[in-house]
Amino acid sequence: MGGGLADATIARRLALSHRTVQRRVRRMMELTRVEGRFAFGLRVGELGILGSKDGTERVDGDLS
């Protein structure tokens, strides 16, 4: 998602159905209480869910 890929492309790369990817993205957005993919990206950044560019991971990123 971070690379701007469409759900169908993500699905092919992960060997999942397009619908499965749509459901998972929608659920992640519900958990982070945002509407829209852009807002989701911002929220993921705020929570530090993906770690940092230096490869370290943040373990306290809570979705609740």
Side-chain angles (χ1 to χ4, degrees):
M1 287 180 65
L5 299 175
D7 290 344
T9 304
I10 295 168
R12 279 192 302 277
R13 290 187 180 187
L14 297 176
L16 298 170
S17 76
H18 179 229
R19 187 71 183 116
T20 296
V21 171
Q22 287 178 325
R23 279 193 302 268
R24 290 182 181 184
V25 169
R26 184 179 66 242
R27 181 65 181 140
M28 288 185 293
M29 289 177 12
E30 288 171 0
L31 289 170
T32 54
R33 297 182 182 110
V34 298
E35 292 186 27
R37 292 170 81 107
F38 183 78
F40 177 67
L42 291 175
R43 186 71 176 128
V44 166
E46 290 171 354
L47 294 172
I49 293 171
L50 295 179
S52 65
K53 291 184 180 184
D54 66 2
T56 59
E57 292 185 29
R58 182 174 166 185
V59 293
D60 62 343
D62 184 6
L63 293 178
S64 59

